[in-house]
Amino acid sequence: MSEAVATEAPAAPATAAVKGLKKNGKQWHDNKSAFRPRANQTSFEKRTAERKALAAVKAKEKELKDEKAAAKQQQVDRIREKRAAKEEKERFQKMEEKMHKKRVERLKRREKRNAMLKS
């Protein structure tokens, strides 16, 4: 007899898990859960911690972005300086074809002095 009682006990919870039909007959609708408006809210401390973490991530991203932009700008400046030097060299070569080399050197020195005074 004690064995028969032990075998019937596990069968009872299985039948309790099955839900009955809806009273209004609309079984294709999902069953509604209880309305709990505070269920998805987080504490103030947790929200502030998340905001601090997000601010730190954004600051790091901005720093990396600024470094990348600075490196790009340095590359652009190097290219500009190189092109300007090349153009100046070509200009002086054309001048040397027309006039004496010593006069061209004097003009170079004078232009360098004027550039230094302007800056």
Side-chain angles (χ1 to χ4, degrees):
M1 279 195 176
S2 63
E3 293 176 46
V5 174
T7 56
E8 289 179 20
T15 56
V18 176
K19 290 193 173 188
L21 296 175
K22 288 185 155 210
K23 283 188 177 179
N24 61 5
K26 297 180 179 176
Q27 280 80 20
W28 58 89
H29 284 294
D30 290 336
N31 290 329
K32 290 185 179 178
S33 60
F35 178 66
R36 293 188 177 91
R38 302 186 134 232
N40 294 328
Q41 288 184 352
T42 57
S43 67
F44 179 73
E45 291 82 17
K46 195 171 183 181
R47 286 196 310 265
T48 52
E50 287 175 1
R51 285 183 189 142
K52 280 184 183 177
L54 185 65
V57 168
K58 284 196 174 189
K60 185 68 173 172
E61 285 177 353
K62 188 177 185 322
E63 180 183 331
L64 293 173
K65 191 175 178 184
D66 290 344
E67 286 178 9
K68 191 174 180 181
K72 178 109 174 154
Q73 189 60 42
Q74 285 177 346
Q75 179 72 14
V76 168
D77 290 342
R78 280 198 297 268
I79 291 171
R80 278 200 185 123
E81 289 171 4
K82 207 173 183 181
R83 284 182 185 164
K86 186 178 177 184
E87 287 175 6
E88 190 174 341
K89 189 175 181 182
E90 288 175 359
R91 186 170 64 92
F92 282 123
Q93 282 179 351
K94 283 184 182 178
M95 287 172 67
E96 281 180 9
E97 291 173 3
K98 295 177 185 175
M99 36 178 124
H100 292 288
K101 194 171 186 177
K102 293 233 178 197
R103 184 172 181 198
V104 172
E105 288 175 7
R106 278 198 312 269
L107 289 172
K108 272 189 198 177
R109 286 196 300 269
R110 182 179 289 170
E111 285 182 12
K112 283 186 180 178
R113 271 197 306 268
N114 290 343
M116 291 294 278
L117 289 174
K118 285 183 182 178
S119 62

